[in-house]
């Protein structure tokens, strides 16, 4: 009897410790914001428009870019053989971001999901989605992201969107290494790698359309920040961004690599950039008003949006910073891409 009593007390103590740890993590990251949220109630949202859309040709004429001029794609017959012939998911490695002093670093994984029936030597050119994972995360994340590829295939088969090539780069050196996709003044030049090195490699390796009207970024949490940042700072390369529960200033997990008021810090304040020099890009934003990771800066950003920036925002009432709050809304972002990016429109 005493043994059973001790076992029961041990189980109770373990449960209480786990509950306390879970509560502390939830308090820090706002995964769940109410009992209804915890029990699975889905927050609703209504789209609102900010700024004003600009016709794609005008965008192409207006958009400056901090990145190097994109290299023209090779002709279909000159494209190299696929790394994994016959496979839709190509698992590749390319040289990683350079250090600030120009030294090379270890290679990075890049996963490329090809459309059904993709032909490397066809004259068909596909639009590109550069999809970015959260933290912790890796290129494998999109294979587990609530049927992301299946939902995209369904949209293509229903002729709601042209068949895109999805490129998922490894953002960090390790699962929990937080680069925030920036060019570190003393370290990795991740922004340059994502905005210049990666697109150039994609254009020389796969049958993709070269224009900004056929290139978009897509991400969640950390990846949502990276998507918005890359598109707003490199509008000649990316015409649109989809950001689920992203944010508009970097949120380093640890000490930032630059002082808060330094030129480097100001260059990554997308709210200040939008105030001073709005760029001709389109953004799709989803956030929850109870999510303290993403909502504060999203809310602030929406107050400063103006032409020619075009923003569609969906703000959910309640819901924490977790995948289940927004993944069922993934197909909506595909429909939106077709509206704002001519290269994603289904072929006649």
């Amino acid at each position: 009897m005493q043994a059973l009593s001790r076992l029961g007390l041990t189980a109770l103590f373990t449960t209480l410790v786990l509950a306390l740890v879970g509560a502390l993590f939830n308090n820090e990251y706002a995964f769940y914001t109410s009992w209804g949220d915890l029990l699975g109630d889905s927050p609703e949202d209504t789209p609102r428009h900010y700024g004003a859309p600009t016709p794609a040709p005008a965008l192409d004429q207006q958009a400056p870019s901090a990145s190097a001029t994109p290299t023209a794609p090779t002709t279909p017959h000159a494209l190299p053989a696929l790394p994994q012939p016959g496979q839709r998911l190509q698992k590749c490695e390319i040289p990683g971001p350079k250090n600030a002093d120009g030294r090379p670093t270890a290679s990075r994984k890049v996963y490329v999901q090809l459309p059904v029936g993709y032909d490397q030597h066809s004259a068909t050119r596909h639009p590109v989605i550069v999809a970015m994972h959260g933290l912790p995360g890796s290129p494998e994340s999109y294979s587990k992201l609530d049927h992301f590829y299946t939902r995209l295939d369904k949209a293509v088969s229903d002729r709601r969107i042209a068949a895109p090539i999805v490129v998922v780069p490894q953002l960090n050196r390790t699962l929990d290494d937080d680069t925030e996709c920036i060019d570190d003044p003393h370290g990795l030049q991740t922004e340059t790698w994502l905005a210049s090195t990666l697109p150039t490699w994609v254009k020389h390796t796969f049958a993709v359309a070269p224009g900004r009207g056929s290139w978009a970024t897509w991400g969640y949490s950390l990846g949502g920040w990276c998507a918005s940042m890359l598109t707003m700072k490199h509008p000649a390369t990316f015409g649109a961004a989809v950001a689920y529960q992203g944010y508009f200033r970097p949120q380093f997990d640890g000490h930032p690599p630059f002082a808060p008021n330094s030129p480097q810090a100001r260059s990554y304040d997308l709210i200040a950039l939008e105030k001073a020099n709005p760029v001709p890009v389109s953004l799709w934003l989803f956030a929850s008003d109870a999510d303290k990771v993403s909502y504060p800066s999203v809310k602030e950003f929406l107050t400063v949006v103006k032409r020619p920036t075009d923003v569609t925002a969906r703000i959910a009432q309640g819901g924490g910073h977790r995948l289940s709050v927004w993944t069922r809304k993934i197909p909506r972002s595909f429909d939106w891409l077709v509206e704002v990016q001519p290269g994603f429109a289904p072929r006649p």
Side-chain angles (χ1 to χ4, degrees):
M1 190 69 178
Q2 288 182 341
L4 288 175
S5 179
R6 285 196 297 270
L7 183 62
L9 288 172
T10 300
L12 177 61
F13 177 75
T14 301
T15 301
L16 290 173
V17 168
L18 292 174
L20 176 60
V21 171
L24 290 173
F25 270 97
N26 189 63
N27 185 58
E28 177 69 21
Y29 297 106
F31 296 127
Y32 299 93
T33 58
S34 67
W35 284 106
D37 190 18
L38 177 63
L39 295 174
D41 291 349
S42 296
E44 293 302 322
D45 58 272
T46 302
R48 292 192 60 183
H49 185 261
Y50 300 81
T54 305
L59 287 175
D60 285 326
Q61 294 166 8
Q62 294 176 28
S65 178
S67 65
T69 302
T71 304
T74 51
T75 56
H77 67 271
L79 290 173
L82 291 174
Q84 289 91 35
Q87 302 295 315
R88 289 191 63 193
L89 182 60
Q90 301 289 306
K91 299 181 179 181
C92 310
E93 287 197 5
I94 68 173
K98 292 184 178 180
N99 277 302
D101 60 8
R103 289 182 295 113
T105 63
S107 62
R108 292 284 180 91
K109 291 189 292 186
V110 179
Y111 282 15
V112 180
Q113 179 79 355
L114 301 174
V116 173
Y118 172 82
D119 182 352
Q120 184 78 332
H121 302 296
S122 168
T124 300
R125 285 288 183 261
H126 296 271
V128 178
I129 295 175
V130 178
M132 285 164 284
H133 56 75
L135 183 73
S138 71
E140 289 89 343
S141 299
Y142 275 81
S143 297
K144 307 170 185 175
L145 186 62
D146 198 17
H147 308 293
F148 177 86
Y149 294 128
T150 303
R151 292 171 188 262
L152 182 55
D153 284 347
K154 179 70 163 56
V156 171
S157 66
D158 289 345
R159 298 190 54 75
R160 287 166 34 217
I161 188 172
I165 290 175
V166 182
V167 179
V168 190
Q170 176 187 347
L171 301 180
N172 305 321
R173 289 165 291 193
T174 62
L175 284 177
D176 57 357
D177 170 44
D178 185 11
T179 66
E180 292 295 305
C181 297
I182 69 157
D183 279 351
D184 186 332
H186 310 292
L188 295 176
Q189 306 298 287
T190 306
E191 177 193 345
T192 297
W193 184 74
L194 290 168
S196 181
T197 305
L198 181 70
T200 297
W201 172 78
V202 171
K203 291 170 184 176
H204 280 90
T205 310
F206 302 98
V208 301
R212 70 185 298 276
S214 298
W215 282 66
T217 58
W218 203 104
Y220 59 93
S221 192
L222 163 69
W225 147 256
C226 297
S228 298
M229 183 270 290
L230 287 170
T231 296
M232 291 185 66
K233 293 189 69 177
H234 301 272
T237 300
F238 306 106
V242 173
Y244 284 96
Q245 296 191 317
Y247 38 90
F248 285 84
R249 297 184 182 97
Q251 298 185 21
F252 292 98
D253 187 10
H255 295 294
F258 36 64
N261 294 318
S262 65
Q264 292 92 344
R266 291 194 295 271
S267 74
Y268 287 106
D269 185 338
L270 300 185
I271 297 168
L273 291 178
E274 177 67 11
K275 278 184 179 179
N277 186 29
V279 289
V281 297
S282 297
L283 305 177
W284 161 284
L285 309 178
F286 177 91
S288 158
D289 64 3
D291 176 6
K292 63 184 182 182
V293 175
S294 66
Y295 182 63
S297 66
V298 169
K299 180 182 179 182
E300 188 177 355
F301 177 76
L302 293 177
T303 66
V304 302
V305 174
K306 54 188 175 183
R307 299 174 69 100
T309 308
D310 171 31
V311 177
T312 297
R314 305 185 76 104
I315 306 300
Q317 305 300 306
H321 191 79
R322 65 185 197 282
L323 299 180
S324 60
V325 172
W326 58 265
T327 49
R328 68 184 178 87
K329 308 173 194 299
I330 287 174
R332 296 177 182 174
S333 68
F334 302 148
D335 296 334
W336 173 83
L337 272 177
V338 172
E339 296 175 4
V340 300
Q341 288 283 84
F344 287 86
R347 271 63 168 178

